[in-house]
Amino acid sequence: MAFVRFSPIVSGRALRRTGAALAVLGGVLVLTVVAVDGPAGPRRTTDRQSAAEPPPPAAVAPGDVAPATPAHAEPTLPAAPPPADLPVLDYQPAPRGFPEDPAPTSTVRLGEGLRPIRRLAVYDAPGGRPRAFLAPTISGVPVTLPIVARRAGWAAVLLPSANRRVGWVPPGSWSTVELRDILVAVRRAHRLHWYRDDRLVRSWPVSVGTPVTPTPLGRTFVLGRSLLPGRVYAGVEVLALGAVPDDPDSVPSTLRGAHIGLHAWYDSRQLGRSNSNGCIRISRKAQELLLAEVPPGTELLVLDRFSAPQRLTDPDTDPEPDTAPRAARR
């Protein structure tokens, strides 16, 4: 796998002509990019998931996304003015003090993303203590964070550069966008499943982290994309994720501070194994399809075991699990 670091990314045609903006675990570091692996040598819910996984909310009906609390259910809590010297959430490890994700292994799709309009404060609870600022971009890359809960007018979002942590944002300077996709990476089966609107689109074999450098469990999201040099990535852009290694000291020193990435690998014969630095390796054709179809903010859920709940198509029924389909309509 590779780790990714961030450097400015632009959209559209300019993005395709521009060098990367993220750093991914693996081999090459690009500015503030995500680090990606280098080659080995001279990287509803009736699921049978990990034993520690809590059951998802029973009230969610088939086809639903994560429920949002109605705005009128309780009065909006005021936000304490943030001090000017708060740290800013960026590509470095997130500040301490943020709460744990309430359901890190839930398979209920997070169907809504938050986009900051201007810099805003992120708190540890609704009406709680401000811990950091969130800007509309990270190293020039527009930010979309999946919303995991709503309460008292506030929204809880998955945090970048942190694993299984959320921050609370008061109402105000942000907009929302629909998120239709979810990617499910299954470590023990070495498979990646792509769902849109809770229907299976495609499934592929992948490689994940070694026992020493495991791919972090739980839900994270696509933070952005990066173009890293080198044939090991099959000449295809990398999807940098919000997740970072659970044990930063377990990866090579050249990859410290990099993010987990989802990226193509030069040798498809190495897929289906636990042989990366934590990143998720996939075939070139699969990566090209995901780059074309999956937007920033898309949730990526990492589990040890996965059996599709009733509301999701079972991957075992996919007639052509390893063949890239025509581009799915958005």
Side-chain angles (χ1 to χ4, degrees):
M1 127 190 166
F3 287 90
V4 184
R5 300 178 191 278
F6 248 13
S7 79
I9 291 185
V10 294
S11 60
R13 295 180 181 176
L15 173 60
R16 293 191 290 271
R17 297 194 299 266
T18 304
L22 307 177
V24 184
L25 285 176
V28 182
L29 304 184
V30 182
L31 241 66
T32 320
V33 202
V34 192
V36 192
D37 297 328
R43 200 163 218 251
R44 176 145 285 132
T45 298
T46 55
D47 297 359
R48 297 188 300 274
Q49 299 170 354
S50 59
E53 178 185 354
V60 178
D64 284 354
V65 298
T69 302
H72 63 270
E74 50 186 327
T76 299
L77 291 173
D85 60 350
L86 283 180
V88 179
L89 291 166
D90 55 18
Y91 211 68
Q92 302 303 315
R96 296 179 180 274
F98 286 107
E100 295 182 356
D101 183 348
T105 55
S106 171
T107 60
V108 176
R109 174 168 51 90
L110 300 176
E112 191 176 25
L114 180 148
R115 290 179 175 173
I117 297 172
R118 58 181 61 89
R119 191 174 79 161
L120 47 83
V122 185
Y123 296 70
D124 56 13
R129 176 181 174 182
R131 296 283 183 175
F133 285 117
L134 175 65
T137 63
I138 292 179
S139 297
V141 179
V143 171
T144 301
L145 306 179
I147 296 175
V148 303
R150 288 180 180 268
R151 188 193 312 161
W154 294 56
V157 295
L158 294 180
L159 292 179
S161 307
N163 297 342
R164 301 171 296 277
R165 295 283 168 174
V166 302
W168 287 89
V169 178
S173 302
W174 48 271
S175 62
T176 60
V177 61
E178 181 184 18
L179 300 176
R180 299 174 56 198
D181 302 284
I182 179 174
L183 302 172
V184 182
V186 189
R187 297 197 307 189
R188 294 187 180 179
H190 299 100
R191 301 290 298 185
L192 180 73
H193 309 302
W194 169 29
Y195 290 89
R196 172 164 291 169
D197 299 326
D198 294 340
R199 295 179 64 87
L200 184 67
V201 178
R202 191 53 59 198
S203 179
W204 301 280
V206 294
S207 289
V208 296
T210 69
V212 176
T213 58
T215 303
L217 288 169
R219 57 189 178 186
T220 183
F221 61 98
V222 175
L223 182 58
R225 49 201 289 174
S226 179
L227 180 59
L228 300 181
R231 71 179 186 89
V232 294
Y233 310 119
V236 181
E237 289 174 300
V238 173
L239 290 175
L241 306 178
V244 295
D246 280 330
D247 180 7
D249 294 333
S250 66
V251 300
S253 59
T254 55
L255 302 179
R256 304 281 166 80
H259 279 220
I260 303 297
L262 170 60
H263 61 81
W265 196 244
Y266 75 105
D267 185 358
S268 61
R269 294 171 299 180
Q270 294 187 26
L271 300 180
R273 306 178 186 178
S274 299
N275 55 7
S276 80
N277 287 321
C279 287
I280 301 169
R281 300 173 179 171
I282 199 167
S283 70
R284 174 173 180 153
K285 287 186 177 180
Q287 180 74 356
E288 289 174 340
L289 181 61
L290 293 177
L291 286 167
E293 290 291 327
V294 173
T298 294
E299 177 188 4
L300 187 144
L301 175 63
V302 180
L303 302 171
D304 268 335
R305 294 179 296 274
F306 174 71
S307 179
Q310 183 179 5
R311 61 187 171 74
L312 297 179
T313 310
D314 193 325
D316 292 338
T317 66
D318 184 16
E320 297 179 283
D322 300 316
T323 302
R326 296 178 181 177
R329 293 182 179 180
R330 296 199 60 77

